[in-house]
Each structure stands twice: as structure tokens, then as C-alpha cells.
Amino acid sequence: MSVEIKSDTIDVKGQKITLVSVRGGEEGIGTFTMGANARDGGMASLTKILYVGAEPVVSMICPNGGNKRSDKLMSLCQGFHGYDRKIYDALAVSFTRLNQGDSLTAGLRGIFSLLPDGVYTVYTSDYYPTDGNGAFFWGGYNTMHEVRGTAEVNNAYASGNVFKPCFLIPTQSLDYYSARGFNNALETVGSRLIQGIAYHVSGFHSALLKGHHGSVACVRANVPYKCAVIEKISDPYTERYAPVQSVKNESEDGTAEEQVEEQHIEPQIIEHEGITGFRSPSVKIPIELFPKDMLNIIISSLHEYKPQHFDVITAKLEAVRKKAVTNSVLPLDVLENSEQMPDTGMVESAYAISGLSDEELNCLLAGDVEYNGRVIVSPNFYASIVTACNYLQFTDLKRFVDFSIAIMDNPELSATHEYVAQRVMSQEKNAKLYTFFKSVVESGDMKYEKIINYANTFVERYAKKDRR
């Protein structure tokens, strides 16, 4: 049966969303669950595989019985050595067409045919070419380890917000990195419309299908790494709402005048019966806005299922690659720049809260978690400081530095000093932080005992950079 691909654009609260449905897809790119694996993760864990073609690419151990709130342990599969030529050519053609000005739906058509059946949204977004924890992504998955930010349900998702994934998982081994490929990409990234093609996998992380050398070049050239993103829509959601109440007020002539207003009283918030719509990380779409044929595909197709060539993929899991190349082969300045990029804590905090006013920050500095009778971030003070620091570091660097110094200079907030000091260590070139840490070192005051080691390290690094 031939692949049937349809696209449509809908409007959701003023936002244009592009939808693509796939029926009869080749199941060439996706994930599937193998089940419990006692050897890798224990019987309480589930193992998932990200595959491309007939090749297992990334092994993912999902703890706590596959709990969606738990981060996954990830690594490149030991036997992975690259995918077949047909898929490589399809990705190359799509990449070329996008950079020649084709629309997302037209340019990515060759890739859509490789996907499992379902409904997808496509859009462009800037990515940070890291694993979300300071390591450049390409060589960051050689050993099995927990990757923060890979839980399907994070704080932003659980609160009903939408967010755009922005960290990467490789689908090529670092064996394929070459100085020639890097130099060629370095010459062209400045003129490209799209730098990579990504397929969302879980949480804040997407698999990079095309553009690995370009990611290195973009970090070196300080060019935003813009990707065309494919994201499956399959999760149902239910909106919560406040009931509308009728309130009668008397007009000036004494007659009763009925007014309708929304009473946002938290104990009265109720949920609809059944689901409101379907969502992915970046979009929430009410049922009534879906084209009927696409809604039928979402309802009738599974969220995830094993591809027809499941046996071929699993047979290759026991193979072992001859070598595992690390990030050390990449240019040193690229690795250093990666360490300065936003991490999952910053991004998650930025999406989980809508904003922080100066008055709210002053309340936190005073040890309060409420402002005007409302919880600012969390009832837990330490969690509030952590989230506030992450949010400010991602959205407003000046306020982040001022807030961090105010915390570290207050002995009554000593429980948070070490965490805040760790966060500011990435701002090695900031003169205001240097002045503060230098005064910490020179004062010898015991109120700084938890941050004195960080202060010494910061001052030493700043002095070295200043001499360069």
C-alpha cells in the first residue's frame, strides 16, 4: 500500500499550526518499547529503542516501570554504525529542498513517508547542540547515563503549558566526524535557512536526523542552530476551567442589571468530562479544531508500536562497535562554548512559570514564598530559589547576577548558597561577579564558608581569561 500524506494548517488562539498526517508509513524512524530488561535496568525498568531504518540507534532505560515523570538513562546502541543509504539520501534531499526555500510540508515529504502512522506537527525552532547538561551532544551518549530533561512529563507539561524541545540526541556515531566535513559546513552555515532536521523523542530532547557537522560549525561560528522539527501529536489532555457565575448589580436607575463574570476561585475549578483535545510538547489542539480525517488517525492509531522489522532491529542489539569516539576529537572552543549554553533546569523553569517581578524576587530574598497572598513559585523555599535562579539565568542575565549576589551575601539564606554559586560559575566573564567573589576571598568572613571554594575558582579563571 502506498503512503498517504496529507497536510493542513489550523488556527489555535491566533497561532498557526501545521499538521501532517501519515497513513501507510514505512516505519523507518521512530521508537518502540521492548519491555522489561533485567540485565540493563532491572525488572522495574522498561527499555525503549530509537531506531532509524533497520538500525537500533539509542537505547533508553525508563525507570520506575516506565514512569513518564522519570528521566531516562540513554546511550548509543553498541552495534550502531550508521543507517542505510536510502534513508541517508532521503534526509539529504529534504535538507537541500528546505534550504532552497521549500515549505516544511513540501521539503520534508520524503521523511514523512518514513514515519509510523499518526499525526505530526512541523515547525522551526532554535536548538542548543548539547545533551541539556553542558556536554556537546554528538559524543555525549557513548555510555549509559541518566539524561536530565528526558522525562515525558516535566513541570511545564504537568502544569498544562506548552514548550519547545531544544536539546539533541545524535543519530550518527562520532566516528563520522571529519575535519573536512566540519570545514565545509563552516563555509555554508551562515547562508543556510535551516541547519538541521530533528525528530522529537522525549521531553526536551529530539533526535538529530540531519546536520551533525553543521551543529559543530554553528557553535564555532556563533550562528543559531535552527532546526526543522517533526513532533508527533498523540497525548490526550483535559482542560480545567473555572465556572462562570451570574452576578446581579443595581444600575443607577435602580433596576437589576445582570452581569456575567468569571470567578477564578481555585477550590471550584472543575474538569470537563472526557478529553478536551490532543497535544504534543509544543501544541495543544482542541478536538473540534482537528480535521476529521486526522482526528480519526489519532484515535485509531497507537501512540507507539513495534515496526514490522522489529526482529531485524533487536538482532543487532547484541553487536559491539569496534570503537567509541568521544567529544575530544571536536574543536576545543566548541566544547567550551557548549558548557556555557542553557541547561534543562534553566529551560524547564522558563516554561514552568510565566514571570517574576522585582517585588516577588525581594520577597524571596526576605525568605518569603508568597507575595500578596499568592505563592510565588513553590511553597518550598529552596525549590523557589532554584527555579527563580534557573528562570532568570535563561531570561534575564543581569537580574540573575544581581539576584544571585544578593542571595550569596545574605547569611540567612546559606542553605541555598552552594547551589547559587554553582549556577553562576558559568558566567566566567562577568565583571560584577568577579568583584563580588574577589571581595569574598579577601574578606575571610565565615558567612561565605559554603562558597569560598567557588569564589577562589571563579577569581582564578577570571584572571586567566583576562590575561589572554
Side-chain angles (χ1 to χ4, degrees):
M1 183 177 72
S2 61
V3 182
E4 181 183 290
I5 300 171
K6 294 183 179 179
S7 62
D8 203 345
T9 300
I10 63 174
D11 186 292
V12 180
K13 297 180 180 179
Q15 178 189 4
K16 298 294 183 182
I17 296 175
T18 301
L19 301 177
V20 175
S21 64
V22 177
R23 193 190 296 271
E26 297 181 25
E27 303 173 8
I29 299 171
T31 62
F32 65 84
T33 301
M34 293 186 62
N37 191 323
R39 184 188 65 182
D40 290 339
M43 294 305 294
S45 299
L46 296 179
T47 299
K48 286 188 176 184
I49 300 296
L50 167 67
Y51 67 94
V52 179
E55 298 294 331
V57 180
V58 176
S59 177
M60 299 175 279
I61 296 178
C62 312
N64 305 317
N67 189 311
K68 290 188 176 183
R69 293 179 178 270
S70 299
D71 287 327
K72 296 173 173 52
L73 284 75
M74 290 187 172
S75 73
L76 282 177
C77 293
Q78 293 182 332
F80 175 61
H81 56 81
Y83 33 80
D84 60 47
R85 190 72 194 181
K86 175 186 174 182
I87 293 181
Y88 181 87
D89 289 343
L91 294 172
V93 169
S94 291
F95 188 71
T96 299
R97 292 185 62 179
L98 290 174
N99 280 290
Q100 288 176 342
D102 280 12
S103 66
L104 291 175
T105 52
L108 295 172
R109 189 172 182 83
I111 298 178
F112 293 143
S113 64
L114 299 172
L115 301 178
D117 289 2
V119 175
Y120 302 82
T121 182
V122 290
Y123 58 92
T124 60
S125 182
D126 288 348
Y127 270 69
Y128 304 110
T130 74
D131 64 351
N133 301 280
F136 193 78
F137 81 101
W138 201 347
Y141 294 83
N142 284 333
T143 59
M144 182 66 71
H145 67 287
E146 183 178 271
V147 182
R148 187 180 175 191
T150 52
E152 287 103 324
V153 178
N154 50 51
N155 289 338
Y157 193 106
S159 62
N161 295 339
V162 294
F163 62 92
K164 289 189 175 180
C166 55
F167 302 110
L168 292 171
I169 303 167
T171 62
Q172 283 188 356
S173 165
L174 195 52
D175 301 35
Y176 286 89
Y177 172 78
S178 68
R180 180 180 179 182
F182 166 66
N183 290 327
N184 288 339
L186 197 59
E187 294 177 359
T188 57
V189 290
S191 59
R192 287 177 180 169
L193 301 173
I194 298 294
Q195 305 290 353
I197 300 174
Y199 175 83
H200 177 252
V201 175
S202 182
F204 285 99
H205 290 68
S206 298
L208 185 65
L209 302 176
K210 179 68 177 177
H212 290 68
H213 280 95
S215 67
V216 185
C218 282
V219 176
R220 161 66 72 83
N222 196 28
V223 173
Y225 192 65
K226 178 179 286 189
C227 288
V229 187
I230 302 171
E231 195 176 276
K232 190 172 186 179
I233 301 173
S234 57
D235 292 342
Y237 72 92
T238 300
E239 286 286 8
R240 307 176 74 218
Y241 69 97
V244 177
Q245 297 186 1
S246 178
V247 179
K248 290 201 173 185
N249 294 327
E250 285 195 359
S251 61
E252 293 182 359
D253 60 3
T255 58
E257 186 180 76
E258 188 175 271
Q259 295 180 347
V260 176
E261 60 180 24
E262 289 187 355
Q263 302 293 326
H264 293 284
I265 304 173
E266 190 168 341
Q268 295 182 356
I269 291 179
I270 59 178
E271 294 186 356
H272 290 287
E273 293 186 4
I275 65 172
T276 306
F278 291 91
R279 67 165 295 171
S280 65
S282 68
V283 298
K284 293 173 67 176
I285 304 176
I287 287 179
E288 60 271 16
L289 296 184
F290 276 102
K292 289 185 179 180
D293 56 341
M294 291 189 179
L295 183 60
N296 181 57
I297 291 176
I298 291 178
I299 295 173
S300 61
S301 61
L302 298 175
H303 174 75
E304 179 185 277
Y305 53 89
K306 294 180 175 65
Q308 296 180 10
H309 51 295
F310 163 77
D311 292 338
V312 177
I313 296 173
T314 54
K316 296 181 179 181
L317 289 173
E318 300 299 323
V320 178
R321 204 167 56 238
K322 292 182 179 179
K323 60 178 180 178
V325 181
T326 67
N327 270 334
S328 60
V329 302
L330 301 174
L332 180 59
D333 58 342
V334 170
L335 302 182
E336 290 179 342
N337 290 341
S338 299
E339 295 176 356
Q340 309 303 318
M341 291 183 179
D343 59 24
T344 51
M346 295 166 59
V347 176
E348 185 174 354
S349 296
Y351 282 116
I353 58 179
S354 58
L356 287 171
S357 67
D358 290 340
E359 292 77 14
E360 290 172 328
L361 293 179
N362 289 334
C363 283
L364 291 177
L365 291 174
D368 297 326
V369 295
E370 293 187 2
Y371 175 69
N372 284 344
R374 183 181 62 85
V375 174
I376 300 171
V377 177
S378 166
N380 181 283
F381 179 71
Y382 183 82
S384 296
I385 291 295
V386 169
T387 303
C389 282
N390 289 336
Y391 173 81
L392 292 174
Q393 189 174 4
F394 186 67
T395 60
D396 193 330
L397 193 57
K398 181 181 182 301
R399 295 174 76 208
F400 165 67
V401 171
D402 292 341
F403 184 66
S404 299
I405 291 175
I407 290 175
M408 292 185 290
D409 204 34
N410 187 344
E412 295 182 359
L413 304 180
S414 60
T416 63
H417 283 188
E418 191 169 0
Y419 175 81
V420 174
Q422 290 175 347
R423 298 302 307 185
V424 301
M425 291 301 288
S426 63
Q427 309 302 316
E428 296 176 345
K429 299 179 182 179
N430 190 281
K432 193 168 187 177
L433 280 170
Y434 169 72
T435 300
F436 170 75
F437 278 127
K438 187 178 180 182
S439 68
V440 169
V441 173
E442 294 173 348
S443 72
D445 197 318
M446 286 301 295
K447 73 176 184 178
Y448 299 125
E449 61 177 334
K450 290 189 175 181
I451 65 171
I452 187 63
N453 292 333
Y454 295 101
N456 284 318
T457 301
F458 192 97
V459 170
E460 291 173 6
R461 290 180 179 176
Y462 189 93
K464 288 180 181 178
K465 288 184 177 292
D466 197 41
R467 289 194 295 267
R468 290 178 184 175

